[in-house]
Each structure stands twice: as structure tokens, then as C-alpha cells.
Amino acid sequence: MSGDHQTLALLLFSAFVAVTLGITTWVSRHRHGSAEEFYTGGRLFSPMENGFAIAGDYMSAASFLGISGLIALFGYDGMLYSVGFLVAWLVVLLLVAELVRNCGRFTLADVVAARMRERPVRIAAGTSSVAVSVLYLVAQMVGAGSLVALLLGGTSEAARAWTVIGVGALMVVYVTLGGMRATTWIQIVKAVLLMAGTLALTVLVLLRFHGDFDALLTTAAERSGHGKEFLAPGLAYGGGWTARFDFMSLGLALVLGTAGLPHILSRFYTVPTARAARRSVVWAIGLIGGFYLMTIVLGFGAAALVGTDEVRASSAAGNTAVPLLALDLGGGARSTGGTVLFAVVAAVAFATILAVVAGITLASSASVAHDLYASLKRPGRGRKPRGEVAVARLAAAGIGAVAIALGLLARDLNVAFLVGLAFAVAASANLPVLLYSLFWRNFTTRGAVWSVYGGLVPAVLLVVFSPVVSGSPEAIFPGVDFQVFPLQNPGLVSIPLGFLAGWLGTVLSRERADEARHAESEVRSLTGAGAV
């Protein structure tokens, strides 16, 4: 890319970073230092503000860069991500949002521990939340690296690595200084920018084809090199029984995983009431629905205007399809319009990554401090909220370091695909224990612990022994082969195992479920009586 692209994109990105750091600094001066302030922003956000923040949290680099790239490469099959990510919110709205807001205080473990023995449940749920968060963070780091590689012409691996490190350092600053309040406002600003940028690109693509969507699809099919197969199922997931099972596994993970994501669940605690939590989700669904419809236009637009081969040549995983599309829509590589539009899209994508990693880091550091630290420290010491907040800030730095290291390892994988893995782990480990706790009267502590580990351990192991890590040219370690599990996404196996483990643990437990605590939890979840 030309120096103009680099300079303008970096200026716009620097402006966003300056604004968000300003917000963080302002918030840090007005904070009270309490756990409630750090974890939930004082529960002062309105449903509309929280809805924008949820959308900002959810519309990640996977959505903006990864999904459009997959559609540009695989056509119809790439749309599965758009559909899965959107449909998942119906599960959240109907089964989770209001009940979680009523039962919990800061984290997923609060909901489960309301009727169980706290220590084992918090350790299990905290471990699972951190694992999911780190996987999700890796995807954002890979997105940041891909964007910078394109910005710098793909010539400098060192610059790519330093960008990943820089994003990690910024997210730690946002979380440690500003907590939930700063993170929320960063996500709101980012959601507005992302929606505006995506809408502008969508309108430009449709104007290029005079509003004729059929012409857009036909051109995309012609330039993809696959003809009509590009618009039909099977290009990515039609190569045999393994591909078909992978398709089902991915769909299951996407639809069920959102309800188990720690950084999404933590957003329901930032509003004052359960009704506000439900209205937040309605706002979020409207924003997210519009956004995912537009990613379909952008994906096919990239295939039609840029060409599938050029997208693949720039990034084998398709992560740079949208910036390349912006360059073309603005008039090409040497034009002023192309330079400006490319720079704007690159800056919005960076903003997207920074906002999402801040939200995920906050949720995972809260799990470390509120669940793991509080459970593992010596009994007899009371829980000190200020001490927890200090641990959460340290945890943010540690989680950031792990995410940076893994992001550098997985730099050549598609970001939407990586998020699919995080969704699979969330659906396997967090969703079963959450649903059992909310809806099963006889659920016990052993069932809760078995449910978490029975989903988490198989999901992680199946990923390690899958083609994602070894045994294929696109793997993280292409030079070795210890692949045993044939599917790329473990959801089809690990999600049922999580539910089965929870049922078995409860059935085989000598402990009887606490009827009184269940009744109290049920009334609280359904009515909000006694909710924090």
C-alpha cells in the first residue's frame, strides 16, 4: 500500500486511540474504586446505551473482517456465520438475559453459586470463562495483525507482531484504568463508527450495481472462479461426511455459544433492572441484525469487485476482503477516494478490535478476581472488594500477555473461524451449567462442576487434536501431525458431552439439591425480587 494509505489510516486510528484514552482517563478520575463500579459501571446505563455497547462488544473483528472474507471466498457457505451469529440472540433473549440479570451480580459463577456450594462451582466456572475469553481474544489479535500486514504491504512480520503487542497493551490500559464504565463508552463509540462505516460501504456496493442484487450475485459467482457453485451450499462444507459434520458442528456452536460468552453475560449487570436487560437485548438485536445483513452484501461485493483470487492472494484466510473492497469502491489504489475510504475502514476495524478486546479482558479478569481469587485464598479472610479489583487489574495484564502469545501463533487463521472455536467452548462448558442451574430443580454442585469440566476439557482437547493445530497445510503447526479428531469445530461432540456430564454428575451425586435455595433462586430469577 502507498504511503498515503499508511499515513491517513494511522492518523485516523491514532485519533480514535486518543479519544478512547481520553474517555478512560476521565472515567478513572471519577471512579470510586468499588467492585461494583469496576465490574458493572455502577449499573447506571440505560437500555439503549447498553444495547449499543452489547452490539459493540459482539460485532467483533470476526464479524467485520472474517465473515465478509469467508463469504468472498466461499459464497453461500460463508453466510452460515452471519445467520448463526444473529439467530443466537433469540436464545439469549428468550432464555438468558432477564434471568441472569436477576440471579447474578458480576459473573456467570454468581448465577450458579446462588444455589450450590460456592468454592468448587466458582473455580470451575471461572476457569471456563477465562479459557473462552482467551480464545476469543486470540481472534481479535489475529485480525489486528492481518490489518496491519495489509496496511504495510504485507512485508513486515515484525510490524505485524508489534501491532498485536500494541493492541494487547492498549486493552490492558483501558481495563485497568477505566473498568466497565470506560469500556462501555468505548464500545458505544465503536458501535456507532462500525455501523456508519458498514452502511456507507453497503450503499456504495449497491450503487455500483444500480441496486440490482441479482447482478451483484451473478458477478460475484463469475469472478469467484466457481460459477453457480459459489451461490449454492457445499463449496466449503460439501466435500464429504467430515465437511457436513463440520457444518452441523459450527452451526450448533454459533447458535448456542453466544448465551455462554462471559463478556456478553457481564453486560446484563450494567443496567439497573431485569426489564432494562431485556430491552437492551432488543436494541442489540436490531443493531446486530442490520449489521449482519450488510456483511452479506460486503462479502459478495468483495468477490464481485475485488475478485476471490485477489482476496485470497492478500490473505489466504480472507481477513482483508473488506479493506480491499473499500479501496476499490473509492476509486482504486492510486486514487484519493480509495486512499480515504481504505484509511477509514482500517481505522474502524482497529477501533472494533480495541473495543472488543477491552470488553473480553474485563470479563475474564473479573472471573479471575471475583471467582478464582476469592475462592482460592485462605478461608477465614473476608472478601474485600477493593482487593478483588486490584487482582482484576493484575489479571488483565496476565490475560493480555497470554492472548498476545497465542495471537502470534495463530496469525494465519481466519478470525471468524477462531471465534467459532471460542463459541464452541462457551456452548460446551458454560451454557449447560447455566441452563441446568436456572431450570432444573434437582441440579447439584457435583452436576455443576462435572458439567463445566465435561464440556471444557473435551472441547479444548478436540481442538488440540484437530486439523486446526496440526496435520494440514493451514494448521497452526503445519510441519507436524498429531491430528486424531477429524472435525475443525468440536461443538457437535463437546456440547452434548457438557449436558451429559451435568446430568450424570447430578444423578450420581449423594448430595441432595437444596429445595429452599432453588425456590429462592427461581422466584428471584423470574420476578427480580431480591436482585442486586
Side-chain angles (χ1 to χ4, degrees):
M1 294 296 156
S2 68
D4 290 341
H5 291 95
Q6 295 179 30
T7 304
L8 191 55
L10 290 173
L11 280 173
L12 288 170
F13 173 58
S14 300
F16 177 81
V17 171
V19 169
T20 51
L21 283 174
I23 292 171
T24 305
T25 305
W26 179 79
V27 169
S28 68
R29 288 177 179 172
H30 293 79
R31 73 187 183 206
H32 307 296
S34 67
E36 187 166 350
E37 171 71 22
F38 184 79
Y39 295 142
T40 67
R43 309 186 200 277
L44 298 174
F45 293 100
S46 69
M48 185 181 78
E49 290 169 346
N50 199 43
F52 269 86
I54 290 172
D57 226 345
Y58 195 68
M59 297 183 305
S60 64
S63 305
F64 191 52
L65 302 176
I67 294 176
S68 301
L70 286 172
I71 294 172
L73 296 180
F74 301 111
Y76 182 96
D77 280 8
M79 286 200 303
L80 170 66
Y81 284 89
S82 289
V83 175
F85 281 142
L86 179 55
V87 171
W89 278 97
L90 297 178
V91 178
V92 176
L93 179 61
L94 294 173
L95 295 178
V96 172
E98 186 174 358
L99 305 183
V100 165
R101 173 62 187 81
N102 284 336
C103 277
R105 190 171 175 224
F106 299 135
T107 64
L108 164 70
D110 288 337
V111 179
V112 185
R115 46 175 296 212
M116 309 290 176
R117 284 185 286 116
E118 283 204 30
R119 186 183 173 93
V121 165
R122 285 194 181 278
I123 291 172
T127 302
S128 169
S129 294
V130 172
V132 172
S133 298
V134 168
L135 264 176
Y136 211 113
L137 280 170
V138 169
Q140 312 310 313
M141 300 298 185
V142 170
S146 296
L147 205 56
V148 168
L150 178 64
L151 191 63
L152 301 178
T155 56
S156 176
E157 281 296 319
R160 196 168 167 180
W162 278 109
T163 301
V164 171
I165 294 167
V167 169
L170 276 171
M171 76 185 183
V172 172
V173 171
Y174 290 145
V175 172
T176 54
L177 290 182
M180 178 59 84
R181 189 169 298 186
T183 300
T184 299
W185 282 111
I186 291 167
Q187 286 158 348
I188 291 170
V189 171
K190 167 256 169 148
V192 172
L193 288 174
L194 184 60
M195 289 297 289
T198 308
L199 180 62
L201 289 179
T202 302
V203 169
L204 289 173
V205 169
L206 293 176
L207 285 175
R208 184 72 69 90
F209 291 92
H210 308 290
D212 189 344
F213 196 69
D214 186 55
L216 167 62
L217 295 179
T218 303
T219 309
E222 289 171 357
R223 293 206 62 188
S224 69
H226 298 287
K228 290 185 178 179
E229 291 180 6
F230 191 70
L231 305 179
L235 195 59
Y237 298 105
W241 69 268
T242 305
R244 290 184 174 87
F245 277 118
D246 238 335
F247 182 87
M248 290 187 284
S249 187
L250 177 63
L252 196 63
L254 294 182
V255 170
L256 298 179
T258 300
L261 292 175
H263 65 292
I264 296 298
L265 294 175
S266 67
R267 291 239 56 93
F268 300 135
Y269 301 127
T270 62
V271 288
T273 64
R275 182 169 180 265
R278 190 171 63 247
R279 288 173 61 200
S280 296
V281 176
V282 174
W283 271 100
I285 288 175
L287 292 165
I288 292 165
F291 173 77
Y292 282 121
L293 287 175
M294 290 189 285
T295 60
I296 296 173
V297 176
L298 298 186
F300 283 114
L305 298 174
V306 179
T308 299
D309 290 339
E310 190 171 336
V311 170
R312 187 175 280 111
S314 173
S315 167
N319 294 330
T320 55
V322 172
L324 290 174
L325 174 64
L327 197 60
D328 186 276
L329 289 170
R334 299 296 173 187
S335 66
T336 303
T339 299
V340 171
L341 201 54
F342 173 87
V344 169
V345 167
V348 168
F350 270 125
T352 295
I353 291 164
L354 283 177
V356 172
V357 296
I360 301 166
T361 306
L362 179 60
S364 52
S365 62
S367 292
V368 171
H370 186 64
D371 299 327
L372 296 176
Y373 166 74
S375 299
L376 292 173
K377 67 181 180 179
R378 284 183 296 179
R381 289 188 174 186
R383 180 179 293 186
K384 297 179 181 178
R386 289 178 185 271
E388 271 187 31
V389 171
V391 172
R393 292 193 173 107
L394 288 173
I399 289 163
V402 173
I404 288 167
L406 292 175
L408 294 174
L409 270 179
R411 61 183 177 271
D412 294 324
L413 296 179
N414 181 276
V415 286
F417 169 74
L418 285 169
V419 166
L421 296 182
F423 272 58
V425 177
S428 305
N430 291 347
L431 184 64
V433 71
L434 185 59
L435 294 183
Y436 278 147
S437 298
L438 291 172
F439 298 110
W440 189 13
R441 180 179 299 276
N442 297 323
F443 197 43
T444 63
T445 300
R446 177 184 286 184
V449 173
W450 282 29
S451 180
V452 173
Y453 292 130
L456 176 64
V457 174
V460 172
L461 286 178
L462 290 175
V463 170
V464 170
F465 292 106
S466 75
V468 176
V469 176
S470 71
S472 70
E474 300 83 19
I476 294 175
F477 302 110
V480 294
D481 186 0
F482 47 85
Q483 172 198 338
V484 176
F485 183 64
L487 305 184
Q488 293 189 324
N489 191 293
L492 194 63
V493 176
S494 59
I495 295 172
L497 283 177
F499 280 100
L500 178 62
W503 177 78
L504 275 176
T506 299
V507 170
L508 298 177
S509 175
R510 294 179 182 177
E511 171 193 7
R512 292 179 62 86
D514 191 324
E515 292 286 336
R517 290 179 74 180
H518 168 73
E520 180 185 344
S521 177
E522 186 175 42
V523 170
R524 181 171 163 180
S525 67
L526 294 175
T527 67
V532 177

